[in-house]
Amino acid sequence: MEEVIETTQETAQEATEDVSALLLYVQEHIPSLIGFGMRVILTIVFFFIGRLVINWIRRLSRAMLERSSADKGVEQFVDSLLKFGLNAILIFTIATKFGVDTASVAAIIASAGVALGLALQGSLSNFAGGVLILLLKPFVVGDYIIEDNHGNEGTVKEIQMFYTKLVTMDNRSVIIPNGMLTNNSLTNVTQMDERRLEVKVSISYEADLRRAKEVLWKLMEQETRIDQEKERNIFVSELGMDGVEIGMRGWVKTDEYWPVKWQMLEDIKLTLDEEGIVIPYHQVEVQMKSK
């Protein structure tokens, strides 16, 4: 029993000594702890103030670009670049405020830059592609483009540092790396104000070709959205297996291309039916011979 009491007393004495040592350590380092806590608080305050300043600079930049009538793509690219660069500067500044040696940070950044440059060659290519898109302007925000290699197409909504965002006709979002757009061919459908409309229709070999051409010409004249001042053509495009193919060409505004084409196809079908001009379809004729 006495041994248990002695052990308990020794344990209590050791605990008391540990608490006393901890209190002594805290008392000796209170100024340092207070200083560290103040630095942490000031760093947090500095971070939030820096974020407010960054957002203010971004808003100011966007306003200046809007007043200068810059392309929407340039505005988006500059905003993305400012966001990345200013946040990096803010983090670097906060690190130096914690006593980190500037030369050491610069050396680390340089080493990391080389490593990242090797690891992120594709991203750097996309960044360079974004710069080329803004300088050469193969397309701008609002254009409808087709990426020829993979068949991606849609209206350009955003041109960012590393990628371009398209929205398709059925409202799907397509993200394409800028490097792909600058290294491959693409088609800008809406860059020009006008676009040539071409419609083809087949009639049977038994139909009156001259009458069919007269009917089609009249339809072109009635369609007011087709530019009547520019060249219009109606011609025999091909003598096909099933019928005579007639082509129609005219010029329309780019944003009216599809509505005019759809309307013309409908009018052609209805009018040829009224005129009794047969539109052939592929069919096979089988003749049976009896013995």
Side-chain angles (χ1 to χ4, degrees):
M1 187 67 179
E2 293 179 356
E3 292 180 357
V4 174
I5 295 174
E6 290 179 359
T7 304
T8 304
Q9 290 177 347
E10 290 177 358
T11 303
Q13 186 177 358
E14 290 177 357
T16 304
E17 291 176 354
D18 291 339
V19 171
S20 300
L22 178 62
L23 290 175
L24 180 61
Y25 177 84
V26 170
Q27 289 176 355
E28 291 177 351
H29 293 82
I30 280 178
S32 300
L33 293 174
I34 293 175
F36 179 78
M38 290 298 296
R39 287 168 63 186
V40 171
I41 293 173
L42 289 175
T43 299
I44 295 173
V45 173
F46 183 77
F47 175 78
F48 283 106
I49 293 175
R51 292 283 297 174
L52 292 174
V53 172
I54 289 172
N55 291 333
W56 176 78
I57 293 174
R58 291 174 62 193
R59 287 196 299 269
L60 180 64
S61 172
R62 287 195 295 267
M64 292 175 61
L65 290 171
E66 288 176 359
R67 285 197 297 269
S68 64
S69 301
D71 290 338
K72 191 68 176 177
V74 174
E75 179 183 334
Q76 293 169 348
F77 186 88
V78 171
D79 181 64
S80 180
L81 187 62
L82 280 175
K83 179 181 177 180
F84 179 80
L86 292 176
N87 277 292
I89 293 173
L90 176 61
I91 293 173
F92 177 79
T93 305
I94 291 174
T96 56
K97 292 297 181 182
F98 263 95
V100 179
D101 183 40
T102 306
S104 300
V105 174
I108 293 172
I109 291 175
S111 302
V114 173
L116 288 174
L118 295 174
L120 302 176
Q121 293 181 18
S123 297
L124 295 177
S125 174
N126 293 331
F127 176 79
V131 174
L132 289 175
I133 289 171
L134 295 178
L135 291 177
L136 302 179
K137 294 184 179 179
F139 58 84
V140 296
V141 173
D143 282 349
Y144 191 95
I145 65 171
I146 303 173
E147 192 270 310
D148 295 337
N149 281 27
H150 299 87
N152 295 310
E153 60 180 278
T155 303
V156 180
K157 287 299 180 183
E158 293 182 23
I159 303 175
Q160 295 290 346
M161 288 176 58
F162 301 104
Y163 63 86
T164 294
K165 181 184 291 185
L166 308 181
V167 176
T168 62
M169 295 285 287
D170 55 351
N171 206 32
R172 290 179 294 118
S173 181
V174 180
I175 309 298
I176 304 179
N178 290 331
M180 183 182 295
L181 293 175
T182 53
N183 293 327
N184 299 318
S185 62
L186 61 88
T187 302
N188 190 333
V189 178
T190 56
Q191 187 173 35
M192 308 302 293
D193 295 331
E194 288 189 321
R195 186 176 175 186
R196 190 178 72 180
L197 173 70
E198 183 168 349
V199 178
K200 292 183 179 180
V201 59
S202 293
I203 63 172
S204 66
Y205 278 100
E206 290 78 14
D208 187 337
L209 178 59
R210 292 187 178 86
R211 178 57 184 162
K213 292 178 68 175
E214 289 175 2
V215 171
L216 296 177
W217 185 264
K218 187 175 180 181
L219 288 176
M220 289 187 67
E221 289 181 334
Q222 292 174 350
E223 179 52 70
T224 57
R225 290 172 292 182
I226 296 178
D227 193 339
Q228 305 296 321
E229 301 298 326
K230 289 195 172 183
E231 181 183 10
R232 292 169 294 156
N233 302 105
I234 293 182
F235 53 93
V236 175
S237 174
E238 184 180 354
L239 300 177
M241 294 178 59
D242 302 313
V244 180
E245 188 176 82
I246 301 176
M248 305 169 60
R249 288 178 180 172
W251 291 90
V252 297
K253 292 182 178 178
T254 300
D255 57 349
E256 294 180 344
Y257 176 84
W258 287 110
V260 174
K261 185 169 185 176
W262 295 332
Q263 187 63 53
M264 284 294 295
L265 290 172
E266 182 177 340
D267 292 344
I268 289 170
K269 174 64 170 67
L270 296 175
T271 305
L272 292 183
D273 287 347
E274 292 174 358
E275 295 290 332
I277 300 174
V278 177
I279 300 176
Y281 55 90
H282 186 67
Q283 53 187 326
V284 178
E285 183 176 323
V286 180
Q287 294 183 354
M288 301 291 293
K289 289 186 178 181
S290 59
K291 294 183 181 180

